[in-house]
Structures are given as C-alpha cells and as structure tokens.
Amino acid sequence: LVRADPPPPSAKGRGKNQEKFAIALKEWRRNHPDADHISSLDIEEIFKSQKVNRQRRREVLDSFVNAKVLTHAACGYIVEWKVL
C-alpha cells in the first residue's frame, strides 16, 4: 500500500530565518508558559530581535501557518506548541 496523504509540512529546517524564529518562539514560551496566544506586536518584536528582514517576515509567518504551528487569531496567532 502507498500512502495517499502528503506528509505534513514542517517549519523546522527550512531556512535560517525560520530556524531563528522557531528558537525565539520557544524562548518566548519560556517567558510566557501559560500563553497559547501571541500578539502581532510580540511577533514583530521577535522578528526585530532576530534581525529577520522585513521582506522575509511574511514568508516566515506563512511557513509556520502552513505547518500548522501558528493559526490566525484576533490581534495575533494561536500557537500549537506540540507541533513546534
């Protein structure tokens, strides 16, 4: 039998910016252990602290949304920590 489902996309190992963002997101979690929601302002601060170029930020966010690590929510994103 051959599996018909495509493998789930992964946010890990895709690129330098995704890697930096994943590490910074895990660090943010250590400082906010009970939070499942991250605001857009916090996301922007993470990008600034990791020096992710403005042109690449949307690409990084899209890769995490496609990997189902982040889900769009009011004023930010819901983070699926088990997937990260």
Side-chain angles (χ1 to χ4, degrees), residues 21-83:
F21 183 72
I23 291 168
L25 199 56
K26 288 177 185 178
E27 182 65 28
W28 184 88
R29 169 107 193 257
R30 286 194 327 158
N31 294 324
H32 305 87
D34 297 329
D36 286 333
H37 180 271
I38 183 168
S39 71
S40 296
L41 295 174
D42 287 338
I43 294 271
E44 286 301 314
E45 288 301 316
I46 288 173
F47 281 135
K48 286 178 188 175
S49 71
Q50 297 303 309
K51 296 181 174 90
V52 175
N53 191 340
R54 278 192 178 274
Q55 289 80 12
R56 295 290 181 201
R57 291 177 185 180
R58 176 57 45 200
E59 178 184 305
V60 172
L61 281 176
D62 287 345
S63 72
F64 278 79
V65 169
N66 291 338
K68 299 188 181 355
V69 174
L70 297 176
T71 304
H72 293 283
C75 301
Y77 294 89
I78 300 294
V79 184
E80 186 61 46
W81 296 112
K82 292 179 254 170
V83 179

Side-chain angles (χ1 to χ4, degrees), residues 11-24 60 64:
K12 298 176 185 175
R14 285 201 174 166
K16 182 173 49 173
N17 291 327
Q18 284 88 350
E19 213 172 288
K20 290 192 299 187
F21 183 72
I23 291 168
V60 172
F64 278 79

